[in-house]
Amino acid sequence: MMTAEGEDNQKVSAGETAMPREASGEQEVPSFHPDQKESVDENHIGTEPDMDPTGSREQTTGPVVVTGNQKAAAIEKLERVRKWSITTYKCTKQVLSEKMGRGSRTVDPELEARVDILRDDRRRYDQVTRLAQTLATQLADVNQTQRILGDVFADLSLKTPPLNVEFGLISDTQRFLSKSGETLVWAINSFTADMNTLLNKTIEDTMINVKHYETARVEYDAYRCDLEELNLGPRDIATLPKLEQAQKSFQSHREKYEKTRDDLSVKLTLLEENKVKVLHQQLMLFHDAVVSHNTTNHQHIEQASSKLTMPGTESPSWLEESGSPS
């Protein structure tokens, strides 16, 4: 039989064991059933920050670190854009000043005269090429018509026995002219192909050098005028650095202008020599093709004409025989 004091001690010990863990300072670790783990993880998707393999939380935002190489490349790009903008502005200003008659420009009379001759020759060669191509197209149509006409005459020679010889000769002549015309068309097409090569490749390559020369000339004049304006102004501590920089830019663009001018002069000389050789050969081939075409056709027509019976030499008609006295 338990006494009252023993019962109190038992209640106190029972109360200590029933004390929650929070009161003792320990954190309660919840236990989950294995089947509940997947659902719990799904419920927490999007609520927890990303974690790296080590279990630490990964920071998703923060300052962007630019390395030294990237910074140098960006600065270099900005510097190129700045220089391009300044050059474009100066060149635009120079071109407008020249068109309005207020700006001076550097002129090389001999070189620019050769460029003008090249432009004029290019225009004339292009006109000749277009006309030759038109002639080839028209001759091709004539050849096709002559070939069809020859077939028709050949069919008539079979169906008209009294005119068998005449229809046959004309049929052969038209077919011969058509075949000869095809050879001439081929020669003209070869001529136009070589002329197109001369225009669109050889001369065009030189015209690219002309464009480079004109661009270098405008840049040179733009920086030359800029340097002249600075030389006319006051010289002090603030303007001396600008004057030195303008002098360096002027010198650089002058060297570039002189180099492009010399390159264009050499290019024009080589083009003139090559152009004479190519045109001499092509013109002779064109002439020989036309002469051969017409000479061969003339000989064939003369031979065909000699086989035809001239009017008045054939036998008398039925009316003439019936009307003659017996």
Side-chain angles (χ1 to χ4, degrees):
M1 184 174 182
M2 187 178 298
T3 61
E5 184 178 357
E7 292 178 358
D8 294 337
N9 293 333
Q10 187 177 4
K11 290 180 181 181
V12 171
S13 61
E16 291 178 356
T17 57
M19 182 182 298
R21 295 177 179 264
E22 289 80 4
S24 62
E26 297 180 1
Q27 183 178 2
E28 183 179 3
V29 179
S31 61
F32 301 102
H33 191 272
D35 297 335
Q36 297 177 350
K37 186 178 185 301
E38 183 177 357
S39 61
V40 172
D41 293 338
E42 292 177 355
N43 293 332
H44 285 77
I45 293 178
T47 60
E48 295 291 336
D50 296 336
M51 301 181 66
D52 57 12
T54 60
S56 60
R57 299 180 187 276
E58 182 181 0
Q59 189 174 4
T60 57
T61 59
V64 179
V65 179
V66 180
T67 61
N69 295 333
Q70 293 176 344
K71 184 177 180 180
I75 294 175
E76 183 180 357
K77 185 176 182 180
L78 290 175
E79 183 65 19
R80 288 199 304 266
V81 172
R82 187 184 69 84
K83 291 182 179 180
W84 174 84
S85 301
I86 294 175
T87 302
T88 303
Y89 168 75
K90 291 181 180 295
C91 292
T92 303
K93 180 181 177 182
Q94 176 66 24
V95 171
L96 292 176
S97 299
E98 293 177 3
K99 290 184 177 180
M100 297 177 67
R102 296 184 300 182
S104 61
R105 65 185 300 268
T106 303
V107 179
D108 190 333
E110 181 183 357
L111 184 62
E112 294 190 4
R114 295 171 66 186
V115 172
D116 291 338
I117 294 175
L118 176 61
R119 288 195 175 101
D120 185 67
D121 289 343
R122 183 187 185 186
R123 180 181 60 83
R124 296 179 185 274
Y125 295 159
D126 182 70
Q127 182 182 11
V128 169
T129 304
R130 292 178 183 274
L131 290 175
Q133 187 61 55
T134 302
L135 177 62
T137 302
Q138 294 174 348
L139 286 176
D141 294 337
V142 172
N143 295 334
Q144 183 179 6
T145 303
Q146 287 180 327
R147 183 170 59 253
I148 296 174
L149 186 60
D151 295 338
V152 173
F153 277 124
D155 184 65
L156 288 174
S157 67
L158 297 176
K159 296 182 178 180
T160 312
L163 299 175
N164 181 23
V165 176
E166 289 80 357
F167 278 130
L169 286 175
I170 294 177
S171 174
D172 293 340
T173 300
Q174 294 300 317
R175 289 175 175 176
F176 180 85
L177 293 177
S178 176
K179 190 67 176 178
S180 177
E182 291 177 357
T183 304
L184 179 60
V185 169
W186 179 87
I188 296 177
N189 287 332
S190 177
F191 171 78
T192 56
D194 291 335
M195 288 297 294
N196 282 323
T197 301
L198 176 64
L199 286 170
N200 300 324
K201 291 185 178 180
T202 307
I203 295 181
E204 182 62 26
D205 183 62
T206 305
M207 294 304 298
I208 292 175
N209 286 73
V210 172
K211 294 178 182 178
H212 292 166
Y213 164 75
E214 292 176 346
T215 301
R217 198 274 307 165
V218 172
E219 292 179 354
Y220 166 70
D221 284 338
Y223 281 91
R224 176 181 58 80
C225 294
D226 186 46
L227 179 61
E228 291 175 355
E229 292 178 359
L230 291 176
N231 285 327
L232 294 176
R235 297 191 179 186
D236 51 20
I237 300 177
T239 59
L240 283 179
K242 295 182 179 180
L243 187 61
E244 293 178 358
Q245 182 63 33
Q247 182 67 35
K248 292 180 181 179
S249 299
F250 165 75
Q251 183 66 26
S252 175
H253 284 85
R254 185 176 67 176
E255 293 175 357
K256 179 181 178 181
Y257 163 73
E258 292 176 351
K259 183 178 183 303
T260 54
R261 182 190 59 188
D262 296 339
D263 292 344
L264 178 60
S265 179
V266 174
K267 199 80 172 181
L268 288 172
T269 303
L270 295 176
L271 175 63
E272 290 170 0
E273 296 176 356
N274 185 35
K275 179 182 65 177
V276 170
K277 293 179 181 179
V278 171
L279 288 178
H280 175 75
Q281 181 182 5
Q282 294 303 318
L283 291 175
M284 291 302 298
L285 292 175
F286 185 88
H287 177 73
D288 292 342
V290 173
V291 171
S292 176
H293 170 74
N294 288 279
T295 302
T296 305
N297 290 346
H298 180 70
Q299 293 175 354
H300 182 84
I301 290 173
E302 283 186 344
Q303 293 176 1
S305 299
S306 64
K307 297 179 182 179
L308 290 175
T309 303
M310 299 302 296
T313 60
E314 64 273 5
S315 58
S317 64
W318 175 78
L319 290 176
E320 292 175 343
E321 290 180 352
S322 62
S324 61
S326 56

